[in-house]
Amino acid sequence: MKDQMPRWSGLDPLAQIRSRQEGKTKRGHQQELLPLPDKPAGKWKNTDSIARVIPDTPVFHLAIGLDYTIPPRLAGKTRIGSLVSVKIGEKLVHAWVKDIRPPEATSQRLRPISRVLSDRGLVSPKTFQLAQQVVSRYAGNISQVLNQAIPNRRAGIEKEFFTNNFAPVMPLTSREAPCQETNCLSVRDEPKIENYPQGKGLLDSLANKRLARVVWSAIPEPNRVAPFNQISELVSVALKAKGSVLCLFPTARQASEFCSYWSASQGANAPSPLKYFFEKSSGRHYQAYLQCRFNHPRLVVGTRSAIFAPLKRISLLLIWDENAETYQEQTAPYWHSRQVAMMRANSEKCSLILGSYSRSPQAQALVLSSWASELAMNNTPVLLPKIFTPDYEQRDDLSIGRTPISSTAIQFLRSCLENGPVLVQVGRRGGRKALSCARCSAPLRCPKCLGQVEQRGDDYLCPSCGHSFFFRCPNCGAQQARAAVRGHQRIGRELAAAFPKIPVINCDADNSLPPIGTKPTLVVATVDQEPVASNGYAGALLLDAGMLISLDRIWAGEQTLRRWANLGAKVAAKGKIMLSGDPGEYLATTFKRRTFREWASKELQERAEVGIPPTAAMAAIRASKDTLNQLLACANFPDMQVIEPVRFGNDWQVIVRARLDQGEELRAELSRLQALASRKKWEPVKVQVDPYDF
């Protein structure tokens, strides 16, 4: 039997190749060394182009991207940003094409793309870049970010858009740029941006395309849900430059009202706002996405997810009420619109304005670090409503703090009703909640499911199972219950009994109201659902003002001040505001004196002492106890504090804390651990960087 390989003949067949690289050695000697190539040659020679795709999968280590060949039948349809179908295992999944490269040899055989769902470049390179930045900042999955940034595709809407409505917009020239006229914005109401000490400089920067990063403490406009007059002025000036303006509001209601205000107050040459609301139907949401991607609208108004709107060029990115809870994404990787806006402003070189009535510690940190400047009235006198805190000023009323509506609050409402409508803010909706026995204080539970019970009229109802029953305390036999918590419906009935000649209106998320007139009216509303009055409210009463402060959460103080400030902005300048329910002397004094910046600076100092964001890098890892132990055994957190696992709902939680300069290292290690757990098929792991609910 002959050998498969030829016997050694004494001559090296690769001598000529090696001798060219090593000129000092004679040709043909076995002692010559063949240098290793920088990149090993592939085993499989592909003649088709190769596409890097991001599959729509929650599997962490697969979502970073996979290579597939582009078969000749799909070569003309596949482009960067296209939506395709690929096969992973035996399952077809959707994927986005991130990049395409020429044919090259690979170490293993590649599967071809199965199908092209959309031959358009639906995802722009800037969107891929921004999503990757969010992934790096929050140690997340790029597939999850793209799912949150891109609405679900609707083939019918896409076909109609490209058939009928798609008209490529030519680059704007100086003659074609809209909103160049000086009378584009008709502003008749005070206040104006130019009234601020730094206002004229900001307007000049926006008009002359100079970058501006501003934290804005706005002057209230009581007859509007937000300072639409001032926002319109900023938007109008920014539209003089080439590019688009992106405005974000905390709710779809506010965004829609701003669109109506803008359309009614602008001239004929002003661009129409494009509504980009996640709350809209998925079809319209996808249509708005296509408009941003291909038609390049000048003005886009939306909510949280609009931060990813694929605009070609942005001149101004404005976020109103930047500390609202709705800007926090509740699913992995738990990004915040404010942080994503900062990334986008850096990468796309656009101006950024973060506005609110109060001041969050995160925004104050940007000012103190000189990353952003400040737009505020400072010591300039502004006529604002007076604020009363009877819990600390009038302690002779024994009913204060014991009943939701004390006698002092009744007197306050009566005096305010003489001048117009009065707003009453209630922290909870519904009737009487958290009931207990009036005699022995035993908690009242549903006899079927042991859930909490509400009282509606004379009936006791369990909202969980729908069981209605007659109450008799099993401990003492009493038949009367008292409520530690009252909802807006119960408060409305009590106010109607106290003021029989005054109309009482209830308002919540399911029952929004148009603007209130000038007649004496009591409006009982839940938080962030308060309607505006045409001339501002004559007074406002905040019940359960200390409800949030009692919660042991990092955001309790800032959210309390934010809610108070937003409510106070709806009161007329000559009106009055009263806090009821033990609001806390320090926060009450801050609200009364409007020293939000000083409070935010002190809050930052206190957080720095204990290492809490934004003064430190922090992450929460949640999983089962066994999985956490496996992760910690493989983890490498040098010079970082790892807090021992504690129970967190049905899972266990570990907190890892590090210095700010170690934040990138911490996030990289968290990504590695998630990929490790994914490859080893451990139980699900949840990672949240800079946890909000801490």
Side-chain angles (χ1 to χ4, degrees):
M1 181 177 180
K2 295 183 179 180
D3 295 335
Q4 296 296 327
M5 295 296 294
R7 294 185 181 275
W8 184 248
S9 60
L11 295 177
D12 189 351
L14 301 179
Q16 294 181 356
I17 299 177
R18 286 197 294 265
S19 60
R20 293 172 187 172
Q21 301 179 2
E22 299 183 10
K24 297 182 181 180
T25 306
K26 293 183 179 181
R27 298 183 180 182
H29 284 259
Q30 294 179 346
Q31 290 79 6
E32 296 174 8
L33 298 177
L34 181 65
L36 294 175
D38 296 334
K39 184 178 180 181
K43 179 180 178 181
W44 301 96
K45 294 182 179 180
N46 296 310
T47 59
D48 299 330
S49 299
I50 300 175
R52 185 75 167 180
V53 305
I54 306 297
D56 184 7
T57 174
V59 182
F60 194 90
H61 70 284
L62 295 181
I64 60 176
L66 299 172
D67 288 341
Y68 287 82
T69 60
I70 304 176
R73 61 183 178 85
L74 301 178
K77 299 180 179 180
T78 307
R79 62 187 66 185
I80 296 178
S82 296
L83 182 65
V84 299
S85 289
V86 296
K87 210 167 189 180
I88 299 180
E90 299 299 326
K91 184 179 181 181
L92 276 175
V93 298
H94 291 178
W96 297 277
V97 179
K98 186 177 181 181
D99 57 59
I100 300 175
R101 61 183 186 270
E104 63 180 7
T106 57
S107 59
Q108 58 184 355
R109 188 189 297 272
L110 299 180
R111 284 184 169 183
I113 292 177
S114 301
R115 182 185 176 189
V116 176
L117 300 177
S118 177
D119 58 352
R120 305 282 181 171
L122 299 179
V123 187
S124 65
K126 289 184 178 180
T127 300
F128 279 122
Q129 180 183 0
L130 181 60
Q132 188 59 52
Q133 292 177 355
V134 174
V135 168
S136 300
R137 176 61 178 80
Y138 290 95
N141 181 332
I142 189 172
S143 175
Q144 293 173 333
V145 177
L146 290 176
N147 261 318
Q148 296 161 354
I150 306 170
N152 294 330
R153 177 177 177 266
R154 292 293 183 269
I157 292 178
E158 182 178 317
K159 181 179 180 181
E160 180 183 0
F161 175 82
F162 288 110
T163 302
N164 303 324
N165 300 329
F166 179 53
V169 179
M170 300 300 294
L172 292 173
T173 63
S174 59
R175 295 182 179 180
E176 295 172 340
C179 279
Q180 294 287 349
E181 296 80 359
T182 56
N183 61 351
C184 174
L185 177 62
S186 177
V187 179
R188 298 181 297 271
D189 300 327
E190 295 291 344
K192 298 181 180 180
I193 295 298
E194 60 186 17
N195 297 139
Y196 294 83
Q198 310 87 353
K200 292 183 178 180
L202 174 60
L203 295 178
D204 291 340
S205 297
L206 295 177
N208 297 322
K209 298 182 290 185
R210 294 195 300 267
L211 297 183
R213 298 168 178 172
V214 177
V215 174
W216 173 32
S217 296
I219 302 175
E221 298 177 15
N223 58 336
R224 303 183 183 97
V225 297
F228 291 161
N229 181 51
Q230 301 167 70
I231 295 176
S232 297
E233 187 177 1
L234 292 170
V235 172
S236 178
V237 174
L239 285 174
K240 295 180 180 179
K242 292 183 180 179
S244 303
V245 175
L246 176 60
C247 291
L248 267 63
F249 291 88
T251 62
R253 173 190 170 190
Q254 288 192 20
S256 180
E257 291 186 7
F258 174 75
C259 291
S260 301
Y261 176 82
W262 172 268
S263 301
S265 62
Q266 302 309 299
N269 294 328
S272 300
L274 174 65
K275 299 180 181 180
Y276 198 105
F277 304 161
F278 187 81
E279 291 80 358
K280 299 171 72 69
S281 65
S282 58
R284 293 185 178 181
H285 189 204
Y286 186 64
Q287 187 177 26
Y289 178 86
L290 295 176
Q291 290 281 353
C292 293
R293 177 69 180 96
F294 298 102
N295 282 353
H296 313 302
R298 297 298 311 280
L299 176 58
V300 179
V301 181
T303 51
R304 178 180 65 243
S305 64
I307 192 62
F308 293 98
L311 298 172
K312 185 175 182 180
R313 181 187 300 177
I314 298 180
S315 59
L316 172 63
L317 205 166
L318 189 149
I319 299 182
W320 171 248
D321 202 2
E322 49 87 18
N323 200 30
E325 303 98 318
T326 52
Y327 287 130
Q328 176 68 52
E329 177 61 41
Q330 299 300 320
T331 59
Y334 309 103
W335 47 266
H336 196 285
S337 296
R338 176 181 53 236
Q339 188 67 37
V340 180
M342 294 168 56
M343 299 176 189
R344 192 163 189 178
N346 278 335
S347 60
E348 301 190 28
K349 308 300 180 183
C350 65
S351 298
L352 173 63
I353 298 178
L354 304 175
S356 64
Y357 288 126
S358 59
R359 180 69 59 84
S360 66
Q362 292 81 2
Q364 183 66 9
L366 300 179
V367 175
L368 296 179
S369 64
S370 300
W371 191 89
S373 59
E374 190 176 29
L375 181 65
M377 292 304 294
N378 296 329
N379 297 325
T380 305
V382 179
L383 184 60
L384 296 173
K386 296 182 180 180
I387 301 174
F388 299 93
T389 55
D391 286 352
Y392 303 102
E393 298 170 359
Q394 302 175 8
R395 297 183 178 273
D396 55 338
D397 188 355
L398 299 179
S399 62
I400 292 179
R402 297 185 178 182
T403 59
I405 306 179
S406 62
S407 58
T408 301
I410 294 296
Q411 296 175 6
F412 172 82
L413 294 176
R414 185 173 290 111
S415 63
C416 293
L417 285 171
E418 297 176 357
N419 302 318
V422 178
L423 177 61
V424 180
Q425 186 190 75
V426 183
R428 302 170 180 86
R429 59 182 297 180
R432 302 176 70 190
K433 298 183 178 181
L435 299 175
S436 60
C437 177
R439 181 185 300 175
C440 66
S441 300
L444 198 160
R445 298 288 184 178
C446 174
K448 282 191 174 181
C449 67
L450 300 180
Q452 289 189 354
V453 177
E454 297 181 7
Q455 182 178 8
R456 299 180 181 179
D458 296 332
D459 298 329
Y460 294 89
L461 177 66
C462 176
S464 300
C465 65
H467 179 56
S468 179
F469 62 96
F470 175 78
F471 168 68
R472 179 182 293 273
C473 180
N475 295 333
C476 64
Q479 300 180 8
Q480 294 183 351
R482 63 180 181 87
V485 178
R486 284 178 168 86
H488 74 295
Q489 295 177 356
R490 180 69 181 185
I491 294 296
R493 288 194 290 267
E494 294 180 2
L495 290 176
F499 299 92
K501 297 182 180 180
I502 301 297
V504 178
I505 304 175
N506 285 306
C507 179
D508 54 24
D510 298 330
N511 182 27
S512 59
L513 295 178
I516 305 299
T518 58
K519 295 182 179 180
T521 307
L522 282 172
V523 180
V524 183
T526 54
V527 178
D528 291 336
Q529 302 299 328
E530 308 91 350
V532 296
S534 56
N535 293 330
Y537 287 97
L541 172 64
L542 282 80
L543 296 177
D544 297 329
M547 180 184 65
L548 284 183
I549 306 175
S550 61
L551 300 178
D552 188 16
R553 291 292 185 270
I554 185 177
W555 45 260
E558 58 188 275
Q559 288 301 326
T560 297
L561 290 177
R562 170 189 164 269
R563 293 184 178 185
W564 294 354
N566 288 350
L567 179 70
K570 295 180 174 65
V571 180
K574 297 182 180 180
K576 297 181 291 184
I577 303 173
M578 175 179 167
L579 303 181
S580 179
D582 193 11
E585 187 171 5
Y586 178 51
L587 289 182
T589 303
T590 299
F591 180 46
K592 185 176 182 179
R593 299 177 180 176
R594 276 89 171 182
T595 55
F596 301 115
R597 291 176 297 175
E598 290 76 5
W599 176 87
S601 298
K602 185 176 180 180
E603 180 73 9
L604 282 174
Q605 294 177 359
E606 295 177 354
R607 293 188 181 189
E609 293 177 357
V610 295
I612 296 178
T615 62
M618 180 180 290
I621 309 175
R622 303 185 184 107
S624 64
K625 193 170 184 179
D626 293 338
T627 303
L628 278 182
N629 292 333
Q630 291 174 317
L631 284 176
L632 294 178
C634 304
N636 181 22
F637 298 117
D639 300 329
M640 301 180 190
Q641 182 185 12
V642 180
I643 302 176
E644 293 298 324
V646 296
R647 173 71 70 175
F648 187 87
N650 297 327
D651 295 327
W652 288 75
Q653 175 178 276
V654 167
I655 298 294
V656 183
R657 181 162 42 197
R659 302 188 308 270
L660 282 179
D661 58 349
Q662 295 177 308
E664 186 175 352
E665 181 181 357
L666 170 62
R667 294 187 286 269
E669 179 64 13
L670 292 173
S671 298
R672 187 189 71 84
L673 291 176
Q674 292 181 84
L676 177 65
S678 176
R679 288 193 300 269
K680 292 184 176 294
K681 298 183 179 181
W682 292 345
E683 294 183 16
V685 177
K686 297 180 181 179
V687 172
Q688 185 172 4
V689 175
D690 295 343
Y692 182 75
D693 191 11
F694 176 71

